[in-house]
Amino acid sequence: MKRIIINFLVILTINMYISTQVNAENKLDLYMNDFYTKSNEASLILKEIENDMKLGIKKKICSRQIKAAKLGILANESLIKAFKISGTEPPNSSINASQKRWESLLNDCKNIN
């Protein structure tokens, strides 16, 4: 019985004082997840706006469009950071086209207000 208690205390002590490695997200995964999350959310907002406009609902169109554009721009920034971390060359033409699209959506509504 003593031996079991001693073994238990040794194992408990080892587990308490020796840190265990946690498989946390690395920075590349963090930026890629951020990119996907923000770009998906921005696309969803734009689809909602499109559906509302088809139904003739014009409530808060610009404020939602601005929110989507800002999310899209932030998503592009995360994607660029992910490419830098991975050490690969980003597809600049695609990212620039996406950036221009989001900035256009942002500026269209800002000019109306």
Side-chain angles (χ1 to χ4, degrees), residues 3-4 11 19 23-24 28 30 34 38 49 52 68 70 105:
R3 190 171 200 179
I4 293 173
I11 292 170
S19 64
N23 290 330
L28 176 62
L30 180 76
D34 190 54
K38 287 181 177 159
I49 291 170
D52 286 353
K70 287 180 179 179
L105 287 171

Side-chain angles (χ1 to χ4, degrees), residues 30-43 71 75:
L30 180 76
Y31 286 123
M32 288 305 296
N33 287 337
D34 190 54
F35 165 73
Y36 286 122
T37 302
K38 287 181 177 159
S39 61
N40 288 338
E41 186 177 350
S43 294
L71 284 169

Side-chain angles (χ1 to χ4, degrees), residues 15-80:
N15 284 329
M16 286 177 50
Y17 290 106
I18 296 178
S19 64
T20 57
Q21 184 177 2
V22 177
N23 290 330
E25 282 185 312
N26 61 32
K27 283 191 175 189
L28 176 62
D29 290 338
L30 180 76
Y31 286 123
M32 288 305 296
N33 287 337
D34 190 54
F35 165 73
Y36 286 122
T37 302
K38 287 181 177 159
S39 61
N40 288 338
E41 186 177 350
S43 294
L44 181 64
I45 292 170
L46 293 178
K47 284 179 186 177
E48 290 172 355
I49 291 170
E50 183 181 10
N51 290 336
D52 286 353
M53 290 182 77
K54 285 179 182 177
L55 296 172
I57 302 169
K58 296 183 179 181
K59 185 178 176 185
K60 298 183 181 180
I61 297 284
C62 267
S63 63
R64 292 187 293 164
Q65 186 171 321
I66 288 171
K67 181 179 178 182
K70 287 180 179 179
L71 284 169
I73 291 168
L74 291 173
N76 281 345
E77 290 173 4
S78 291
L79 184 61
I80 291 168

Side-chain angles (χ1 to χ4, degrees), residues 20 26 39 47 56 71-72 85 87 89 93 95 98 101 103 111:
T20 57
N26 61 32
S39 61
K47 284 179 186 177
L71 284 169
I85 289 171
E89 188 66 30
S93 60
I95 293 174
S98 174
R101 182 180 135 228
E103 288 172 353
N111 291 334

